[in-house]
Amino acid sequence: MKQYETMYIIKSTLDEAQKAKLVEELHGIILSHNGTVDKVEDWGLKDFAYEIDNMKKGYYVVVTYSTEVEGLNEFKRLIGLNPNVVRSMTISQEEREGK
């Protein structure tokens, strides 16, 4: 298994309970593919540098996890389809460390 890091932005219109449920569902995708969620950082509500789909703010979440390629692909696919996720970006830990 490789380790990855994904930062994603959740719509600011969701309340705290909806946001927590969405984060749990998204991380459940990794767990359902025999992966592990190693670290979750909630960066909170931040202003965007520019408007995205008429939105000026969003909740930033960074998750570090380990999974096989199939789990990674499914996570990226479903996070991209979710209407409550504004943007996401995934890198491998190898890329992050410059290897």
Side-chain angles (χ1 to χ4, degrees):
M1 280 197 279
K2 283 190 170 182
Q3 193 173 43
Y4 300 93
E5 182 177 272
T6 298
M7 178 171 48
Y8 57 93
I9 306 169
I10 299 171
K11 286 184 176 180
S12 63
T13 54
L14 271 61
D15 64 31
E16 203 59 39
Q18 291 171 316
K19 186 178 75 146
K21 183 179 179 208
L22 176 60
V23 168
E24 185 179 322
E25 288 172 4
L26 293 174
H27 297 171
I29 299 165
I30 297 164
L31 299 174
S32 70
H33 285 84
N34 299 320
T36 60
V37 174
D38 305 321
K39 184 177 177 184
V40 178
E41 296 178 51
D42 184 344
W43 288 5
L45 187 65
K46 303 275 185 197
D47 290 328
F48 295 154
Y50 54 89
E51 278 191 24
I52 303 172
D53 298 332
N54 297 319
M55 291 180 277
K56 296 181 181 185
K57 297 180 182 197
Y59 291 103
Y60 284 70
V61 179
V62 178
V63 59
T64 305
Y65 54 97
S66 299
T67 189
E68 297 294 339
V69 174
E70 297 82 21
L72 173 67
N73 290 339
E74 185 67 1
F75 180 65
K76 287 171 62 176
R77 184 182 78 81
L78 293 175
I79 208 169
L81 292 173
N82 194 304
N84 291 313
V85 177
V86 179
R87 292 280 193 276
S88 68
M89 183 176 80
T90 301
I91 61 169
S92 71
Q93 286 298 88
E94 291 173 355
E95 284 180 287
R96 183 173 191 212
E97 295 167 2
K99 293 181 181 176

